[in-house]
Amino acid sequence: MSNAMKRVGYGYVCSTERSIIEKLSREEKRMNAIIYTKPNCQKCRRTVFKLSRVMPVQTITADADDYERFRKLNYRSMPVVTVYKADGTHDEWCDLQVDKIKQYTED
């Protein structure tokens, strides 16, 4: 029963409407992400795919200078993700971190 009506603060909405409202609510937060990737990286593709469904994502193919900077930050795996939040803070991590991605893709 995927299209069942659900009561929300302003009335009843179907699952399609709820999905659109949730997407718009996330966009209102004005979060966005910058993801450094490397070619042919499945973890990179998966991270970009998941986060780009809920916020604007800019991908950058890392070069030698980026790799050196990441090593100094003790990042040893790709992708390197920075999510910028509406309140001016940011969240940063490396590698495929499903728990981090879920923070932004699930309510």
Side-chain angles (χ1 to χ4, degrees), residues 77-105:
S77 185
M78 298 299 281
V80 174
V81 180
T82 306
V83 174
Y84 296 92
K85 301 177 189 179
D87 64 4
T89 63
H90 68 277
D91 193 5
E92 193 169 53
W93 69 88
C94 70
D95 206 355
L96 176 64
Q97 296 205 18
V98 176
D99 58 327
K100 289 283 201 178
I101 294 169
K102 283 184 178 180
Q103 288 178 8
Y104 298 102
T105 59

